[in-house]
Amino acid sequence: MVDYTFVRKDLTKRQTVIEGVLELQSPLRIGTGKSGGFDPASVVRDTVLKDVDGVPVIPGSSWKGVFRSAGERILRNKKVTVCSGVGKDYCLNNFRKFNDFQRSISHNVEEALKIFWDYTCLNCKLFGTMSVIAAVKFLDSRALEFKLGSRSMVAISRTEGAAARGALVQVEFVEPGSKFSFKMIGNNLPNYVIGYLLTIMKSIHDGYVQIGGHKTRGFGFMKFSSLRFIDKGEKKIGDEDVKVDMGEEVKGEGDKFFEQMKPFMEAFNNAKIPYPVH
Ligand SMILES: [Zn+2]
C-alpha cells in the first residue's frame, strides 16, 4: 500500500510555514497587465501592481509561477520527469490519464489517488494541476517599506501602435532596498519537498532567479532575511521520504538560515522520486 499522504487534501498530518522578509537588490517590476493608455504627449504610464491602499504587492500566483518554473529547471537538471504545467503540457494530459482520473474522483477515491500519484510529477503534486489544488499556498507579498521610481523606456511591447511611433513608456518600478513580506504554507509536505522549496528559495536568494519584468535590464533580484520555519506534525511523510527533524521552529537570517536548513536540501538531493511511473 503506497502512502499517499503528500497528495491528500482530506487530512493534515503536517503543516509547514516558511516566512520572512525580501529585500530588493535591484528594481522590481510587477505590472498590472494593463497600461494607463495614451496621453496627448504619447507617454504611456505603466504602473506597478498595488493593493487598495496603494502598497505594491507581489501576488501569491506570481510566486507560484516563479517557484514552478525555477523548480522545473532544477528537476530537469536532476533528470527527473517534470511538466511545465503550461497549456496542455500537464502530466495527467501527457500520460492520457485525465479522463480516467476525472471519472474515478466521484466513485473511487482510492483509484483517483493512485492515478494522481502514479501519473503526475512533483510539480503537479506540489503546485497543483487541472482540478487538483496545490499542496503549498503562497500568500500575497506586501511591501513593508518601499520607494517607487520610474524610468522612460522605448516601447518594445506587442502593442504595435506604440512601438511603431517609438513611443516612450514611463515604467514605474519599486526601488532597490524596498522590503516585502513573504509567506508560504505547506500541507503534508515530505522532507525532500520542503528541501526542494528551500532549494528554489536559495536560488532566488543567490541571484539565480529573478522576479517580475525587465529581467534583461537586471530587474528582479532579491534576498531573504528574518526567515522563520514553523513545522507542526509528523516529521516524515510517505514511504520515499527520510526523516529530518529540525524541531518546531527555526529562525535565522538569509545565508545562515539556508545553512541551518541543509538537512532538508540534502533530503531533496538524495531523494529517489518514485513518480511519475512509466
Ligand atoms: Zn506534472
Side-chain angles (χ1 to χ4, degrees):
M1 224 4 225
V2 178
D3 181 344
Y4 298 125
T5 305
F6 172 31
V7 295
R8 286 182 62 172
K9 314 297 172 194
D10 58 329
L11 48 83
T12 300
K13 290 202 173 178
R14 182 184 212 175
Q15 196 188 55
T16 310
V17 175
I18 304 177
E19 61 183 8
V21 174
L22 281 157
E23 185 168 339
L24 304 191
Q25 307 297 304
S26 69
L28 172 70
R29 168 71 211 168
I30 307 275
T32 56
K34 55 178 199 284
S35 55
F38 281 109
D39 70 15
S42 85
V43 173
V44 179
R45 279 177 212 291
D46 203 359
T47 55
V48 301
L49 186 64
K50 302 182 187 87
D51 68 10
V52 286
D53 301 316
V55 176
V57 290
I58 307 169
S61 56
S62 294
W63 283 123
K64 191 155 107 171
V66 166
F67 272 66
R68 188 166 191 150
S69 65
E72 188 188 337
R73 280 196 299 277
I74 291 168
L75 293 175
R76 286 194 198 283
N77 282 337
K78 263 174 79 82
K79 312 274 183 243
V80 171
T81 302
V82 60
C83 70
S84 70
V86 175
K88 285 191 160 36
D89 179 28
Y90 60 97
C91 289
L92 285 174
N93 185 48
N94 295 346
F95 290 108
R96 307 261 174 274
K97 292 290 174 187
F98 185 67
N99 290 337
D100 291 350
F101 174 70
Q102 283 293 92
R103 235 174 282 124
S104 58
I105 284 178
S106 53
H107 67 270
N108 190 343
V109 175
E110 268 307 308
E111 178 66 15
L113 275 171
K114 182 174 166 37
I115 293 171
F116 186 68
W117 185 266
D118 286 345
Y119 296 105
T120 59
C121 68
L122 175 55
N123 278 1
C124 283
K125 288 178 174 67
L126 181 57
F127 301 114
T129 182
M130 289 293 171
S131 68
V132 180
I133 61 164
V136 65
K137 182 179 153 78
F138 294 90
L139 273 60
D140 293 346
S141 290
R142 202 165 180 269
L144 306 166
E145 291 167 30
F146 69 97
K147 269 191 195 149
L148 295 171
S150 73
R151 221 177 256 189
S152 296
M153 294 179 186
V154 176
I156 41 162
S157 68
R158 276 138 257 155
T159 55
E160 316 141 45
R165 270 174 255 135
L168 285 178
V169 181
Q170 198 65 30
V171 174
E172 188 180 44
F173 56 84
V174 187
E175 295 262 23
S178 299
K179 290 177 178 175
F180 284 79
S181 63
F182 177 83
K183 185 171 185 172
M184 65 182 170
I185 304 167
N187 192 54
N188 298 335
L189 301 185
N191 293 309
Y192 69 93
V193 177
I194 294 172
Y196 174 53
L197 289 167
L198 286 162
T199 302
I200 298 167
M201 284 177 70
K202 191 173 187 304
S203 65
I204 295 169
H205 183 77
D206 290 342
Y208 296 110
V209 175
Q210 290 159 271
I211 318 298
H214 299 295
K215 293 184 177 78
T216 55
R217 290 183 164 101
F219 280 33
F221 290 105
M222 43 183 81
K223 276 189 180 293
F224 286 100
S225 62
S226 305
L227 284 156
R228 190 164 164 239
F229 168 82
I230 306 145
D231 191 30
K232 291 191 175 144
E234 294 182 9
K235 302 301 179 200
K236 177 178 178 290
I237 299 289
D239 309 317
E240 74 281 13
D241 202 16
V242 289
K243 193 170 178 186
V244 178
D245 192 350
M246 304 277 299
E248 284 216 344
E249 186 173 348
V250 177
K251 278 185 188 176
E253 286 311 308
D255 294 332
K256 180 104 187 297
F257 177 83
F258 290 113
E259 192 63 36
Q260 284 173 284
M261 299 303 267
K262 259 194 175 154
F264 286 108
M265 292 188 262
E266 272 159 21
F268 168 65
N269 287 335
N270 299 328
K272 301 250 178 301
I273 295 170
Y275 47 76
V277 297
H278 48 285

